[in-house]
Amino acid sequence: MLRVGLTGGIGAGKSAVAQRFAERGAVIIDADVLSREVVQPGTEGLAEIVEAFGAGVLTADGELDRPALGAKVFGDEAARRTLEKIIHPRVRARTTELTLGAASDAIVVNDVPLLVEAGLAPSYHLVVIVLAGRDLRVQRLTQLRGMSAAEAAARIGAQTDDERRRATADAILTNDADLATLHARVDELWRDRIVEFERNLRMGRSAPRNQNLRLVPFDPEWPAAANRLIARIRHGLGDRAEVHHIGSTAVPGLPAKGVIDLMLSVRTLEDADALAGRLAEIGFPRRPGEWFDNTRKVPGLTWPKRFHGCADPGYEVNLHVRVAGSPGWRFALLMRDHLRAVPEARDAYAAARAAWEVRFEDRAGYAEAKEPWFDQEAQAADDWAEQTGWQPPV
């Protein structure tokens, strides 16, 4: 099933987005609701809180006195961590239980206030962040929740900043207008991306490739997107998985078509085949067919690899699964580092690509035209590697 992580700062409107997702058919798992459930009277969670913070955090009826507990942990890092160690494992266990109970074709939206702070983003197929300006959030908290302006500012300041949230987001919903506008933005994201993502994921297929991509100036969002995707792959395969951002979007200043090329290193192609199922589960299904790298004059002429795409229609991704040390693996890393280090080589590639784009509108013609240039680049990059002592990163 498709698992979506939803978060946003206090007062941004995350709950309104969750409600709209529910109206569209999503299964909502609210971490705040679960955090209350796991500390109800008679639970082990409440007993541990009392043991850690004292009976003063209970009401006369034996329930958790949240304001009293909040006063103990607010501004006290050690106390906050103690509370998190009690609540978070229980919330995670309950979340897993509810997720496993959902239908196989469900879209499960996890509403998690501290998703970014807790480093949970890579565990979801898609992360949606709700953003709103600080002043607007203060206004909402004072008018709708009865906080003072100082209290609202303090609550906002205690959370992570929007810059970090943006870096984590696969999709951003800006909530700076009325509710109807927010609903329209949610509906567009649901219709154009989330529903299609779920269908692709369930059917084990990649989103269709855009055949009409055009060169555009370098976008700093490309490395940020690559980092998010790499983190997702490492979370799914294990932190020791070796994944690199390669290709044009990995070279600052180089115009590109916005395709995020990633490379997963494996010991053997049998290992690559063994990982195919898991990669599909986390959103990177294998593309059908036989795929090969040009070895750039190394005996053998071609070298086999595996090739995966991305089920998320919001990304254009090529995931190359190559044997570490193979000619294609080495050239992908060497060319990237050569173009990063030598501006003249980068600019020559940019000029050549612009010329190919004028001559060829289809991917196949474009790909064939660039092969002779790549042969020249392979030799230039090899010369540069010998001069500088370059070695593939590990």
Side-chain angles (χ1 to χ4, degrees):
M1 65 191 68
L2 183 70
R3 291 174 288 103
V4 178
L6 172 65
T7 194
I10 186 171
K14 174 176 59 63
S15 296
V17 171
Q19 182 176 344
R20 188 62 173 180
F21 276 144
E23 292 170 1
R24 301 275 72 81
V27 175
I28 306 297
I29 300 178
D30 189 328
D32 273 345
V33 171
L34 298 186
S35 68
R36 287 171 169 78
E37 177 185 311
V38 299
V39 293
Q40 289 294 313
T43 61
E44 293 181 359
L46 184 58
E48 283 196 33
I49 287 177
V50 172
E51 182 178 354
F53 297 99
V57 298
L58 294 177
T59 67
D61 296 329
E63 296 185 350
L64 182 63
D65 187 333
R66 293 187 176 276
L69 178 61
K72 286 182 176 289
V73 302
F74 188 76
D76 186 330
E77 182 72 12
R80 181 181 64 82
R81 291 189 179 279
T82 297
L83 180 61
E84 289 174 349
K85 288 179 180 179
I86 296 171
I87 292 180
H88 288 184
R90 291 175 167 83
V91 170
R92 286 195 294 269
R94 184 67 176 130
T95 297
T96 299
E97 181 181 354
L98 293 172
T99 301
L100 292 175
S104 60
D105 62 348
I107 296 172
V108 178
V109 175
N110 291 88
D111 182 343
V112 185
L114 299 180
L115 184 152
V116 176
E117 292 89 333
L120 298 176
S123 65
Y124 300 101
H125 293 107
L126 185 78
V127 172
V128 178
I129 306 289
V130 186
L131 295 180
R134 183 184 181 88
D135 291 345
L136 181 56
R137 293 165 63 191
V138 170
Q139 178 183 334
R140 289 171 179 163
L141 293 174
T142 56
Q143 293 180 354
L144 302 179
R145 300 198 192 182
M147 296 183 187
S148 67
E151 183 182 5
R155 294 287 296 275
I156 292 172
Q159 296 181 334
T160 194
D161 58 41
D162 283 348
E163 180 178 357
R164 188 178 173 199
R165 290 191 182 98
R166 286 182 182 277
T168 306
D170 297 298
I172 292 174
L173 290 170
T174 302
N175 182 21
D176 57 359
D178 57 19
L179 189 60
T181 301
L182 178 64
H183 283 175
R185 291 169 178 169
V186 174
D187 292 349
E188 180 181 8
L189 176 63
W190 179 267
R191 179 187 65 247
D192 296 344
R193 187 169 184 180
I194 293 177
V195 170
E196 184 64 20
F197 193 174
E198 186 282 323
R199 187 179 297 115
N200 291 338
L201 188 70
R202 176 162 37 90
M203 298 183 71
R205 68 186 184 192
S206 298
R209 302 176 74 181
N210 187 342
Q211 299 297 323
N212 299 310
L213 289 172
R214 310 298 293 178
L215 288 171
V216 297
F218 181 82
D219 187 345
E221 167 58 20
W222 293 337
N227 287 339
R228 290 192 293 271
L229 295 166
I230 288 171
R232 196 159 287 143
I233 293 170
R234 286 177 174 161
H235 182 272
L237 300 184
D239 290 340
R240 297 182 64 182
E242 183 182 319
V243 192
H244 295 279
H245 182 198
I246 58 171
S248 299
T249 56
V251 181
L254 180 65
K257 294 187 175 184
V259 178
I260 308 298
D261 280 283
L262 305 175
M263 183 169 71
L264 172 64
S265 305
V266 293
R267 292 182 302 115
T268 66
L269 287 179
E270 287 74 18
D271 288 346
D273 294 337
L275 293 174
R278 181 56 181 154
L279 285 169
E281 289 175 1
I282 62 177
F284 301 91
R286 182 172 169 177
R287 292 192 183 278
E290 297 296 323
W291 302 90
F292 299 88
D293 287 319
N294 184 319
T295 60
R296 308 295 162 196
K297 300 181 181 179
V298 172
L301 299 181
T302 60
W303 196 282
K305 66 176 179 180
R306 301 296 182 254
F307 193 45
H308 292 242
C310 184
D312 181 355
Y315 288 118
E316 181 86 5
V317 177
N318 293 330
L319 174 59
H320 309 260
V321 185
R322 293 182 168 116
V323 174
S326 68
W329 177 89
R330 180 181 182 276
F331 180 64
L333 297 170
L334 174 57
M335 180 177 172
R336 179 199 65 184
D337 291 351
H338 179 230
L339 296 182
R340 283 176 174 177
V342 182
E344 295 82 4
R346 179 199 64 197
D347 295 343
Y349 185 35
R353 298 188 78 191
W356 300 329
E357 185 174 64
V358 172
R359 292 174 56 199
F360 303 98
E361 294 185 358
D362 64 298
R363 282 180 183 260
Y366 184 99
E368 183 177 352
K370 68 183 183 181
E371 285 303 308
W373 188 94
F374 270 41
D375 288 337
Q376 297 176 21
E377 163 60 18
Q379 184 60 60
D382 273 333
D383 293 343
W384 173 80
E386 186 174 350
Q387 293 166 6
T388 61
W390 176 88
Q391 293 294 324
V394 294

